[in-house]
Amino acid sequence: MRIAVVGTGYVGLTTGACLAETGNDVICADIIEEKVEALERGEIPFYEPGLAALVRQNVAEGRLSFTTDVAGAVRASYIIFIAVGTPPDEDGSADLSAVVEAAAGIGRAMDGERIVITKSTVPVGTARLVREAIEAETEHRVRVCSNPEFLKEGAALSDFRKPDRVVIGVDDPVAGEVLQNLYAPFVRTGNEILVMDTAAAEITKYAANAMLATRISFMNTIARLCERTGADVDMVRLGVGSDRRIGPTFLFPGVGYGGSCFPKDVKALAGTMKRLGVDCSILDAVESVNESQKRLLLELVVERFGETLHDRTFAVWGLAFKPNTDDMRAAPSLVTIRGLLERGARVVAHDPVAMHEARRILGDAIEYRDQNYDVLEGADALIIHTEWHPYRHPDFPRMRNLLGEPVILDGRNLYAPAAMRDLGFEYHSVGRRPALPGGAG
């Protein structure tokens, strides 16, 4: 099939590369000339494991190309994906201006029937807006569909190639059949293609992310209760997750969710519900809990070292909001670091891939080190924000010798408290009793 993807961000580029891998001819179009030139050189503007190699392979084999000529890409293709950004407006609702603009441009370029699919995360009713924008510019028939993405940053290729499910919202059976054929290579192991109306597909995306965010905030609330009562949140998590009606995923306590999806999608869904007169207090609570949880490590620092942190140095492991990505949008690390800087502290940080992004956001306000052990020397404490693999089994004696004080504040519960106590650390984590050298940890 000949396919155009309008937008070469995280979703658009992953979609284009994966569809090209299964033999389709894919043109990825973007209006930003510098981005297209970089992609033609095989340079990916963000970190996603395996994606750069997949892009280069499909470009070399002639199935994937890039252009700034959006109209030309539309005329050369029968299936067109819209994968442009939908950032939050001031009120938290999704800004659809880029989606509507892309749709209008598609309409102006159409020289015959097309299938147009919204891949961007969009609120319910967007398919109708896309149809209206296209039909205002052309007399040719358009079949508008919704095909929300369910890609996790750091695992996007696996998620696309082996999806839990493919959701397709269609307005007629012809488009449904075409898209089912397009996705057939990715569901050969029996995972479902769910065909539904466009409104249901649009709601499904937001509802899924809101449910996952709710599980995170719920477990973080339970972790706070465990801290107050002395219970071990790990045992509570296992007890709750063993219930087959609930399951174990997304029940790990931590310092809150971040990134590009959960924060904006929870707000956008809440905004839609408020506009339609639906009670959204549960989503307001999810967001409130998450914002509170992001302050947890800063609260631990202040409790341990005091409100004034002049002449204090804090080492930070992990800047990205989660492993296997360089994304720092809404990252909990930013809340901690900015709070430390406001109190006069010196911050020295390491992250395997996100330090360039941290420099863009924080500039020279903090110091950066290329090796994770180099941030520890003389620090009053180590603060862990991201559960990168290199942090999971470090050289603990080396860490203890490098730190000015053997204090670790772990926002991801990477280590066993009793083991850290026996190694001579003062160890604070989420929802578990602090471990103190010589204490009962």
Side-chain angles (χ1 to χ4, degrees), residues 109-330:
M110 283 171 55
D111 56 4
E113 179 182 306
R114 295 294 188 277
I115 294 176
V116 177
I117 305 136
T118 54
K119 195 71 174 173
S120 307
T121 298
V122 294
V124 61
T126 302
R128 175 181 51 80
L129 296 178
V130 167
R131 174 181 294 282
E132 291 172 354
I134 294 172
E135 290 182 343
E137 303 290 344
T138 185
E139 295 182 355
H140 295 293
R141 179 169 186 173
V142 61
R143 304 178 192 270
V144 176
C145 312
S146 175
N147 174 217
E149 54 85 14
F150 298 96
L151 306 178
K152 298 187 296 292
E153 292 187 50
L157 296 187
S158 176
D159 288 344
F160 199 103
R161 290 163 168 164
K162 299 177 181 179
D164 294 332
R165 77 293 200 198
V166 175
V167 173
I168 297 172
V170 296
D171 60 357
D172 65 62
V174 172
E177 184 175 346
V178 170
L179 288 185
Q180 287 183 77
N181 289 334
L182 182 65
Y183 278 104
F186 304 105
V187 293
R188 296 181 66 189
T189 57
N191 290 344
E192 289 186 284
I193 295 180
L194 303 175
V195 180
M196 58 188 72
D197 61 83
T198 55
E202 290 166 342
I203 292 175
T204 295
K205 167 64 176 179
Y206 278 106
N209 277 358
M211 174 58 77
L212 295 174
T214 299
R215 288 172 68 96
I216 293 170
S217 284
F218 174 81
M219 204 62 211
N220 282 332
T221 300
I222 296 300
R224 295 273 188 165
L225 176 63
C226 290
E227 291 164 5
R228 296 285 180 89
T229 60
D232 186 335
V233 73
D234 287 340
M235 296 298 101
V236 175
R237 176 179 59 81
L238 290 173
V240 172
S242 297
D243 189 322
R244 275 178 277 183
R245 297 168 299 175
I246 299 172
T249 58
F250 280 79
L251 290 180
F252 288 89
V255 286
Y257 58 77
S260 64
C261 294
F262 287 3
K264 75 178 182 67
D265 290 356
V266 169
K267 290 179 181 177
L269 181 57
T272 298
M273 293 170 72
K274 288 174 183 174
R275 177 170 54 82
L276 296 175
V278 179
D279 183 359
C280 66
S281 56
I282 189 170
L283 297 183
D284 290 339
V286 167
E287 183 183 0
S288 176
V289 168
N290 192 61
E291 291 305 306
S292 174
Q293 196 70 9
K294 286 183 179 182
R295 296 191 293 272
L296 175 64
L297 290 178
L298 182 61
E299 292 169 0
L300 288 175
V301 169
V302 171
E303 182 180 334
R304 173 61 175 75
F305 295 98
E307 185 69 34
T308 300
L309 301 174
H310 294 284
D311 301 322
R312 296 282 189 183
T313 297
F314 294 93
V316 172
W317 278 3
L319 296 165
F321 85 95
K322 72 173 203 173
N324 296 319
T325 180
D326 58 358
D327 195 343
M328 288 186 62
R329 285 173 287 185

Side-chain angles (χ1 to χ4, degrees), residues 3-117:
I3 300 167
V5 180
V6 180
T8 60
Y10 186 86
V11 173
L13 193 56
T14 300
T15 299
C18 288
L19 291 176
E21 185 183 26
T22 53
N24 299 291
D25 293 320
V26 181
I27 306 171
C28 288
D30 202 295
I31 61 174
I32 302 175
E33 187 172 345
E34 296 81 4
K35 182 188 288 188
V36 170
E37 291 174 351
L39 289 168
E40 289 177 329
R41 296 192 300 268
E43 299 172 7
I44 306 302
F46 51 85
Y47 179 79
E48 177 60 39
L51 182 57
L54 185 64
V55 167
R56 287 193 290 266
Q57 175 188 341
N58 281 282
V59 169
E61 295 176 4
R63 293 187 298 268
L64 180 63
S65 61
F66 301 96
T67 184
T68 56
D69 182 7
V70 178
V74 170
R75 286 191 290 270
S77 307
Y78 177 57
I79 299 173
I80 300 124
F81 286 90
I82 297 176
V84 297
T86 54
D89 264 335
E90 292 182 4
D91 63 357
S93 63
D95 181 354
L96 298 178
S97 57
V99 172
V100 174
E101 183 179 346
I106 291 168
R108 288 191 293 272
M110 283 171 55
D111 56 4
E113 179 182 306
R114 295 294 188 277
I115 294 176
V116 177
I117 305 136

Side-chain angles (χ1 to χ4, degrees), residues 325-370:
T325 180
D326 58 358
D327 195 343
M328 288 186 62
R329 285 173 287 185
S333 63
L334 293 174
V335 175
T336 304
I337 289 170
R338 286 168 173 154
L340 294 174
L341 295 174
E342 289 170 1
R343 289 163 175 80
R346 172 178 172 245
V347 177
V348 189
H350 172 269
D351 187 285
V353 301
M355 288 199 289
H356 70 285
E357 186 67 10
R359 285 190 175 96
R360 186 186 68 80
I361 296 170
L362 297 168
D364 296 329
I366 67 173
E367 300 172 35
Y368 308 90
R369 298 289 185 270
D370 292 331

